[in-house]
């Protein structure tokens, strides 16, 4: 069998997977209306492209797994560090990294030896990323913006997940969006002449946007350059805007699309600031060590930061003065580092609908349900989590704590509002917010693999739940759960697949034995939070309690949704009578996704291969922790010796007194410790108990009607109103931002009218007066001058004309008299 | 009693001829009379040239013109012949058109 160079094959596969939907988008951009007259051709085209993407991604995943942990670059980014720092010793130092030059110019050569040690001691055998450059976009000074790819386990898994979910949703949309094939009458929009609005169907346009989205999302996960990530980040936001506003005749859809776009801009502003800070700190936005145009490796963000921290640690060791958060050592600025990390997290807060920018996601449910499933549940909103995961090694621990706290607040807000929402899609939207909060919490407390595993499993079961809700909406024509009920008799496939989704998101499973996909990912997050709680009881206790409560709430509101929709007596006979099971083209994806929601957390039979194991294998080490453990061995607490010896402890917090952090010491526990039976065991049972409690309560209230929900509301009306109004966030933002902005706009309009317009009018009037004066001058003087001189010449001509009489003899006389006159004058001596 | 004929005598005769010619041109309304006046003017001028070229008369070298004077006189005669031919042709044609040679009637060139 011929040797396959996976470092070339995998990028090729993924780049083709990335470009296929772009091709479909390009075709549909020009031919969508034409294809709409030929049935579902547009849909099949887009679906075919995504299917191709999925197959290529799957192939790439296969190659990646086969490549194994001892791949082409076995030492991970530490290995790259060594490679680059050995290169820095060469006299032909490349000019793009002046910040790290201190490692070369140190006279005693101590830092070099430290860098060398890094290559030997970075023990963990992690498969290095496959990096490469497609082309260089722009270069200014030491900065370069290039189109590059950075492929590691996370990329490959994300590509596979995105294309798989997108494929299911494309197929589903072939059925769901079928009404768009013909002229559509929208009952929610009043036409100009009364009655519902009638408009041409937009089947092809829908798939065109979906294709653009899949392209952008795959580009986002493939990108190896933060500016490129930002570009695709905006592209997915744009697709989201298009698709939320798909029913663009509805004012609510317009408002929701605009809200999503504007709220995301707030986060993206932070992202931009973070990018600038990062550029100032390390002078590059490239993630990995990319080869430049000559093929020489140029250090990326991670390597640069690593070297900066090496310099910082060494400076601290040598007791150089290091101010409080001020630039110290070799130009390393802790403030700038934190600013960069917080800024990038701001972008993630906007995109992943985290508190306080979560308000756009529920409104985004105005879009068609497949869009909610693909963009606003499975993939795009997970992009923020993905970016935190991608950038994870470069986060300072303080920022990770911020991420964890924000995630916790978000998960509580989402879960509590979902308790009282009655719109089926909004319940799912708040559930999405809550689960995204879980992922952020997991990442924030050091559970890289846990958070990202939850991202993948959540994508499967949340897409499933949304598609099921779409199937229900398709059948009954309303989003309101109080009008549903008993639908499991009418649509069994939808009901049972949705039950699978509910069980998966509630984390159903028997601890230590087996469970649905959500069980593994949620338990992994909770275990990591528990670990964090043991290290940092002051904060961690709250985080763990909130996460556990969130687990219970999740089970409650999901089963509340299921019971209200599918169980009990039918609430509205008319709706119930007309309900029907969806066509096979819609049920098929439900079954596939239900299967994935069950098995996504399992091992491949006969091997130790699982998603969790893949992620664990490629788990990055926090740069801060790495440096704290390796270069400052003396500052760890005695109690943490064991973890320090295990290779890469995370006792970064012990660096605090030296580095001068403005906050208290943060300890990010190492994730592999959360697999200890001592941690995972009790946590598993606690999560099980919480979920069971939520499930039982929902069953008691909504399933068996032992307790009337109205009486619970009466018991605490204030809480109910508070939750029903979504914690008053919309009202708060309305009062705090929207109204002041509108008032400011009114004020500026007034200023415009009263001051600017008047000034302009006055100037114009003055100019007119000046012009009139000039006109008068022109006529009265300049024109007169020319007219008069012309008239004088005319008169002179008229006079002289008389001299020419035509009389020959007169002429002779004049000639003679002239000659005589000249003669006389000459002779008189004149 | 006899004074020798000097250059001044020639000049006086030439001036009288010239003046007669001019008066003839100015006063005659007949085109042929005007032409005669022209001849008189030309010949008055010719007389000056001839006198100035006479070696007997040029005691004063400042007035010496030599053979050049006679040459100029010949030129003037030739010119007068040509001029007379053209002028007579004009006069004849004029007569044909207007049955008159009155130069006062030929005033179409009036401005």
């Amino acid at each position: 069998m011929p040797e396959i160079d996976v470092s070339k094959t995998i990028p090729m596969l993924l780049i083709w997977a990335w470009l296929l939907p772009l091709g479909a988008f390009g075709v549909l951009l020009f031919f969508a209306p034409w294809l709409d007259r030929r049935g579902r051709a547009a849909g099949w085209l887009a679906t075919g492209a995504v299917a191709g993407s999925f197959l290529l991604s799957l192939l790439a995943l296969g190659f990646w797994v086969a490549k194994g942990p001892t791949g082409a670059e076995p030492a991970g980014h530490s290995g790259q560090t060594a490679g680059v720092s050995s290169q820095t010793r060469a006299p032909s130092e490349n000019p793009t990294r002046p910040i790290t030059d201190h490692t070369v110019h140190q006279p005693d050569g101590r830092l070099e030896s430290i860098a060398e040690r890094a290559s030997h001691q970075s023990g963990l055998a992690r498969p290095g990323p496959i990096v490469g450059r497609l082309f260089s976009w722009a270069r200014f000074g030491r900065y370069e913006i290039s189109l590059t790819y950075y492929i590691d386990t996370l990329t490959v898994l994300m590509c596979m997940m995105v294309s798989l979910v997108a494929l299911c949703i494309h197929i589903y949309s072939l059925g769901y969006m079928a009404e768009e094939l013909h002229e559509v009458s929208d009952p929610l929009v009043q036409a100009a002449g009364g009655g519902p609005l009638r408009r041409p169907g937009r089947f092809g346009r829908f798939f065109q946007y979906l294709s653009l989205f899949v392209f952008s999302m795959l580009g986002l996960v493939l990108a190896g350059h933060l500016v490129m990530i930002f570009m695709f980040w905006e592209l997915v936001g744009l697709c989201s805007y298009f698709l939320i506003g798909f029913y663009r005749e509805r004012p609510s859809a317009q408002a929701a699309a605009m809200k999503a776009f504007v709220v995301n801009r707030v986060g993206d502003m932070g992202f931009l600031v973070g990018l600038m800070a990062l550029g100032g700190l390390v002078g590059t936005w490239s993630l990995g060590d990319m080869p430049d145009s000559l093929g020489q490796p140029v250090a990326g963000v991670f390597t640069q930061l690593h070297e900066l921290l090496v310099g910082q640690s060494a400076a601290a060791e040598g007791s150089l003065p290091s101010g409080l958060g001020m630039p110290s050592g070799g130009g390393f600025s802790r403030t700038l580092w934190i600013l960069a990390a917080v800024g990038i997290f701001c972008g993630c807060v906007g995109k992943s609908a985290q508190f306080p920018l979560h308000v756009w996601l529920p409104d985004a449910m105005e879009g068609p349900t497949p869009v909610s499933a693909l963009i606003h549940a499975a993939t795009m909103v997970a992009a923020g989590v993905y970016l935190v995961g991608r950038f994870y090694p470069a986060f300072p621990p303080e920022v990770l704590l911020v991420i964890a706290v924000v995630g916790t607040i978000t998960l509580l807000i989402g879960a509590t509002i979902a308790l009282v929402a009655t719109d089926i899609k909004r319940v799912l939207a708040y559930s999405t917010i809550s689960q995204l909060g879980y992922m952020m919490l997991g990442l924030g407390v050091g559970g890289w693999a846990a958070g990202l595993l939850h991202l993948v499993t959540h994508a499967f079961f949340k897409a499933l739940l949304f598609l099921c809700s779409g199937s229900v909406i398709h059948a009954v024509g309303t989003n309101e759960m109080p009008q549903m009920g008993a639908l499991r008799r009418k649509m069994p496939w939808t009901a049972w697949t949705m039950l699978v989704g509910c069980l998966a998101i509630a984390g159903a499973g028997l601890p230590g034995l087996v469970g649905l996909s959500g069980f593994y990912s949620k338990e992994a997050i909770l275990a990591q939070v528990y670990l964090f709680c043991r290290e940092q009881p002051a904060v961690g206790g709250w985080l763990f309690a909130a996460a556990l409560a969130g687990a219970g709430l999740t089970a409650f509101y999901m089963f509340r949704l299921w019971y209200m929709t599918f169980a009990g007596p039918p609430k509205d006979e008319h709706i119930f009578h007309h309900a029907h099971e969806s066509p096979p083209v819609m049920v098929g994806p439900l079954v596939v996704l239900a299967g994935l929601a069950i098995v996504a957390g399992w091992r491949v039979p006969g091997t130790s291969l699982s998603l969790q194991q893949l992620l664990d294998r490629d788990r990055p080490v926090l740069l801060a922790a790495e440096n704290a453990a390796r270069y400052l061995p003396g500052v760890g607490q005695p109690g943490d010796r064991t973890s320090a010896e295990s290779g890469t402890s995370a006792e970064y917090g012990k660096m605090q007194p030296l580095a001068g952090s403005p906050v208290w010491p943060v300890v990010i526990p190492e994730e592999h410790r959360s697999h200890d039976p001592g941690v995972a065991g009790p946590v598993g049972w606690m999560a099980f108990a919480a979920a069971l409690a939520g499930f039982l309560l929902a069953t008691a209230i909504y399933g068996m009607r032992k307790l009337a929900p109205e009486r619970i509301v009466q018991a605490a009306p204030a809480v109910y109103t508070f939750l029903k109004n979504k914690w008053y966030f919309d009202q708060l933002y309305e009062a705090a931002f929207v109204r002041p902005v509108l008032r400011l706009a009114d004020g500026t309009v007034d200023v415009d009218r009263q001051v600017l317009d008047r000034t302009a009018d006055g100037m114009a009037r003055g100019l007119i007066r000046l012009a009139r004066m000039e006109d008068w001058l022109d006529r009265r003087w300049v024109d007169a001058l020319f007219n008069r001189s012309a008239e004088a010449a005319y008169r002179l001509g008229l006079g002289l004309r008389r001299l020419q009489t035509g009389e020959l003899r007169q002429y002779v006389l004049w000639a003679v008299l002239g000659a005589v006159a000249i003669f006389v004058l000459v002779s008189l001596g004149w | 009693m006899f004074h020798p004929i000097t250059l001044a005598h020639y000049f006086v005769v030439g001036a009288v001829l010239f003046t007669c010619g001019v008066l003839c041109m100015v006063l005659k309304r007949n085109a042929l009379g005007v032409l005669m006046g022209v001849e008189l003017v030309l010949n008055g001028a010719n007389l000056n040239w001839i006198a100035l070229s006479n070696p007997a008369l040029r005691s004063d070298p400042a007035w010496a013109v030599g053979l050049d004077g006679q040459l100029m006189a010949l030129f003037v005669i030739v010119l007068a012949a040509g001029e007379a031919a053209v002028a007579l042709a004009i006069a004849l044609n004029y007569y044909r058109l207007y049955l008159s040679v009155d130069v006062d009637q030929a005033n179409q060139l009036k401005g």
Side-chain angles (χ1 to χ4, degrees), chain A residues 461-474:
Chain A
F461 56 67
K462 189 50 69 70
L464 167 67
L465 287 167
F466 262 109
L467 293 188
C468 287
S469 79
S471 177
V472 170
I473 293 166
H474 197 65

Side-chain angles (χ1 to χ4, degrees), chain A residues 331-521:
Chain A
F332 174 75
S333 160
R334 201 184 162 80
T335 318
L336 209 53
W337 187 24
I338 289 179
L339 181 66
V342 168
I344 286 173
F345 177 59
C346 274
C348 302
V349 165
K351 193 61 82 192
S352 282
Q354 298 293 294
F355 165 82
L357 298 181
H358 63 276
V359 291
W360 67 271
L361 188 56
D363 287 18
M365 297 301 126
E366 285 289 341
T369 308
V371 171
S372 308
L374 177 60
I375 299 184
H376 304 121
T379 53
M380 187 194 81
V381 290
V385 180
Y386 162 79
L387 185 60
V388 173
R390 165 62 71 222
F391 201 65
Y392 177 79
F395 274 114
E398 294 86 348
V399 178
L400 282 178
L401 183 66
V402 170
I403 294 176
V405 171
V406 168
T408 311
I409 296 172
T410 310
L411 88 85
L412 272 184
I413 291 176
T416 48
I417 299 176
L419 294 180
V420 298
T422 52
D423 181 320
I424 186 168
K425 278 177 79 179
R426 280 181 189 254
V427 174
L428 292 176
Y430 282 112
S431 155
T432 305
I433 293 176
S434 167
Q435 299 303 312
L436 290 168
Y438 259 110
M439 297 172 207
M440 287 292 185
L441 169 61
L443 285 164
V445 296
W448 187 85
L452 293 171
L453 179 68
H454 198 55
L455 194 167
V456 176
T457 57
H458 171 261
F460 291 143
F461 56 67
K462 189 50 69 70
L464 167 67
L465 287 167
F466 262 109
L467 293 188
C468 287
S469 79
S471 177
V472 170
I473 293 166
H474 197 65
V476 299
T478 176
N479 284 10
E480 286 301 313
M481 290 193 294
Q483 296 177 27
M484 301 173 189
L487 288 174
R488 77 172 181 280
R489 273 180 272 156
K490 288 280 191 166
M491 34 200 326
W493 282 100
T494 307
W496 297 122
T497 48
M498 191 148 193
L499 185 62
V500 170
C502 290
L503 285 168
I505 195 174
L510 281 173
L513 284 174
V514 73
L516 303 190
S517 60
F519 166 75
Y520 296 100
S521 52

Side-chain angles (χ1 to χ4, degrees), chain A residues 616-681:
Chain A
D616 267 340
R617 196 181 78 182
D618 197 17
R619 185 176 53 230
V621 176
L622 275 181
L623 288 173
E626 202 173 25
N627 290 298
R630 191 170 304 124
Y631 308 119
L632 297 174
V635 291
Q637 281 179 356
D640 297 314
R641 249 325 139 214
T642 47
S643 57
E645 281 161 6
S646 69
T648 52
S649 159
E651 308 314 317
Y652 171 81
K654 310 309 178 290
M655 224 173 120
Q656 284 320 127
L658 292 166
S661 164
V663 250
W664 65 86
V666 178
V667 179
I668 302 296
E670 182 62 21
E671 190 176 5
H672 66 85
R673 283 160 61 204
S674 72
H675 299 324
D676 277 357
V679 176

Side-chain angles (χ1 to χ4, degrees), chain A residues 801 804-809 811-813 816, chain B residues 22 25-28 104 106-107 109-111:
Chain A
R801 178 171 161 243
Q804 199 181 355
T805 56
E807 300 285 336
L808 181 66
R809 297 177 310 128
Y811 291 175
V812 174
L813 186 64
V816 170
Chain B
V22 166
M25 279 163 73
V26 172
L27 297 177
K28 287 283 179 187
D104 279 0
N107 64 351
L109 288 178
K110 184 169 73 173

Side-chain angles (χ1 to χ4, degrees), chain A residues 63-135:
Chain A
F63 276 123
W64 182 264
V65 172
K67 180 185 165 190
T70 51
E73 294 165 273
H77 61 254
S78 300
Q80 297 159 24
T81 307
V84 170
S85 35
S86 66
Q87 192 207 357
T88 53
R89 260 172 257 136
S92 62
E93 168 62 52
N94 66 61
T96 57
R97 307 164 39 239
I99 287 176
T100 56
D101 278 356
H102 67 277
T103 55
V104 186
H105 300 309
Q106 281 288 338
D108 56 3
R110 187 165 44 87
L111 295 179
E112 282 180 20
S113 67
I114 286 171
E116 266 175 0
R117 249 196 297 157
S119 65
H120 299 310
Q121 292 189 351
S122 72
L124 281 190
R126 293 190 299 272
I130 302 174
V131 296
R133 164 195 306 263
L134 297 176
F135 67 90

